[in-house]
Amino acid sequence: MNNKNSVSIIVPAFKEEEFIEETLKNYLEVFSAAKIEFEIIVIIDKVNGDKTDQIVKKMAIDKKEILFVIREGKKGIGSAIKEGIKKSQNNNILIATAEISEDPNDLVKMVKKMNDGFDMVFGNRFYLNAKREGYSKKQYYANRLCNYTIKILFGIKSNDVTNGVKVYKKSILKNLKLTGTSFDIFAEIPIKAYQNKNQNFIEIPLKHFVRDKTYSKFNFKKESKLFFLMVLKCFLNK
C-alpha cells in the first residue's frame, strides 16, 4: 500500500534531449535520499530527429521508478498532464518540468509539506527578494496581471497561481474535468480545484531558473491569450 507521503511525478517532455537525463537523475537522487516513495511518469511527445524517448527508455531499464508513455507527434503539454494524472498510482501528484528550471530539493520540500494536512502545495517563484533573471518586463507584468486577476476573481490568496509546479492530492486531480490544451492548464487546475472546495493549500518559495529562449517552448503571445481565456471560462462557469 502506498504511504501517505508517496508521490507520482509527472514530467511532460517535448524535444528535451539536452536536459532530460540530468533532470531525471536529479529527481531520482533527491527523492531517494529523502526516502519518499515515488514514481516518475514521463509523457513524451515524439517527433522526428529528437532522441528524448531513447534517453528515457535507456534510463528506465535500470531505474524501476521511471515510467514513460511515448506519443507520436506534438500532442501538447495539457494532454500530457492529463495522461500523467490517469497513469499515476501514488497518493500525491507533483507536476514538474523536464528541464532544470527548479531546485529539485525545493520539490522534495513541497511533497513533504503535504504531510501537514494540505490539499495542495504551490511553488511560489515570486517570493520576496526572489531573483528572476531572464524574465522580460513584458513576461513579468503579464504574469503579475494574470495572477492578480485570478486572486480577485476566485479569492485564491496565492502569489503564483499560474506556476505549473505544484503538488496535489491525487484524489483532487482525478475528479477534475480538465480542458486546457497548453500551458493554460496550469491556471485551470488550481482554479478548478479551489472551486471544488479544495482550498486548504500553502505556498512555499521555489527557486526558478528561466529557460534560455533557444530552448523555450513558451510562445508568449499565444499562451497569454490562452491563459486569459481559461480564466474567463472558469469564472463564467462558477
Side-chain angles (χ1 to χ4, degrees), residues 61-72:
I61 293 173
D62 298 321
K63 301 296 181 182
K64 62 179 177 55
E65 299 91 347
I66 297 178
L67 310 172
F68 60 87
V69 175
I70 299 174
R71 313 186 306 175
E72 292 295 331

Side-chain angles (χ1 to χ4, degrees), residues 54-96:
Q54 296 176 33
I55 295 168
V56 174
K57 278 182 179 178
K58 185 176 180 181
M59 293 184 71
I61 293 173
D62 298 321
K63 301 296 181 182
K64 62 179 177 55
E65 299 91 347
I66 297 178
L67 310 172
F68 60 87
V69 175
I70 299 174
R71 313 186 306 175
E72 292 295 331
K74 186 179 179 181
K75 307 294 185 184
I77 193 168
S79 67
I81 290 171
K82 285 179 272 189
E83 182 87 18
I85 293 170
K86 290 178 183 177
K87 299 287 184 183
S88 63
Q89 296 296 316
N90 290 332
N91 292 324
N92 302 304
I93 292 178
L94 164 64
I95 298 174

Side-chain angles (χ1 to χ4, degrees), residues 123-126 144 147 158-163 166 203:
N124 178 13
R125 300 165 295 179
F126 296 92
R144 295 296 79 207
N147 277 278
S158 166
N159 198 40
D160 200 5
V161 183
T162 58
N163 181 17
K166 294 182 172 68
E203 194 169 66

Side-chain angles (χ1 to χ4, degrees), residues 35 65 69 87-88 92-93 101 104 110-111 122 136 139 141 156 163 167 172 174 193-194 204 214-215 220 226:
K35 301 188 184 307
E65 299 91 347
V69 175
K87 299 287 184 183
S88 63
N92 302 304
I93 292 178
S101 291
M110 291 175 67
V111 173
F122 295 0
S136 68
Q139 285 177 300
Y141 287 116
I156 306 176
N163 181 17
V167 186
I172 292 175
K174 294 281 189 178
Y194 204 81
I204 66 174
T214 305
Y215 302 105
F220 177 80
L226 288 174

Side-chain angles (χ1 to χ4, degrees), residues 47-238:
V47 292
N48 290 335
D50 179 58
K51 297 179 181 178
T52 302
D53 62 317
Q54 296 176 33
I55 295 168
V56 174
K57 278 182 179 178
K58 185 176 180 181
M59 293 184 71
I61 293 173
D62 298 321
K63 301 296 181 182
K64 62 179 177 55
E65 299 91 347
I66 297 178
L67 310 172
F68 60 87
V69 175
I70 299 174
R71 313 186 306 175
E72 292 295 331
K74 186 179 179 181
K75 307 294 185 184
I77 193 168
S79 67
I81 290 171
K82 285 179 272 189
E83 182 87 18
I85 293 170
K86 290 178 183 177
K87 299 287 184 183
S88 63
Q89 296 296 316
N90 290 332
N91 292 324
N92 302 304
I93 292 178
L94 164 64
I95 298 174
T97 60
E99 78 279 359
I100 314 299
S101 291
E102 286 75 35
D103 183 336
N105 291 294
D106 287 344
L107 305 184
V108 169
K109 291 176 185 177
M110 291 175 67
V111 173
K112 285 185 173 182
K113 201 66 181 173
M114 292 292 286
N115 277 342
D116 292 338
F118 294 103
D119 296 326
M120 307 177 285
V121 177
F122 295 0
N124 178 13
R125 300 165 295 179
F126 296 92
Y127 57 92
L128 185 64
N129 298 323
K131 294 182 180 180
R132 292 180 289 271
E133 298 174 2
Y135 254 96
S136 68
K137 287 185 177 180
K138 182 171 66 173
Q139 285 177 300
Y140 175 76
Y141 287 116
N143 180 288
R144 295 296 79 207
L145 176 60
C146 187
N147 277 278
Y148 183 74
T149 301
I150 291 171
K151 185 181 293 187
I152 295 298
L153 293 179
F154 303 98
I156 306 176
K157 296 179 180 179
S158 166
N159 198 40
D160 200 5
V161 183
T162 58
N163 181 17
V165 180
K166 294 182 172 68
V167 186
Y168 302 89
K169 287 182 179 177
K170 179 179 69 175
S171 58
I172 292 175
L173 297 191
K174 294 281 189 178
N175 289 325
L176 295 183
K177 294 182 179 180
L178 300 173
T179 61
T181 58
S182 193
F183 290 86
D184 56 331
I185 198 169
F186 294 142
E188 181 185 19
I189 294 175
I191 289 173
K192 287 188 173 179
Y194 204 81
Q195 288 176 322
N196 279 0
K197 307 303 180 183
N198 300 295
Q199 301 177 357
N200 182 24
F201 76 93
I202 192 170
E203 194 169 66
I204 66 174
L206 179 67
K207 290 186 284 293
H208 179 70
F209 314 102
V210 179
R211 171 179 262 201
D212 188 284
K213 291 181 180 179
T214 305
Y215 302 105
S216 178
K217 309 298 191 305
F218 191 88
N219 181 309
F220 177 80
K221 185 176 181 180
K222 173 190 172 185
E223 299 300 341
S224 296
K225 181 179 178 181
L226 288 174
F227 265 104
F228 281 100
L229 286 175
M230 178 57 73
V231 171
L232 178 60
K233 182 178 177 180
C234 289
F235 180 73
L236 293 176
N237 290 331
K238 284 177 69 173

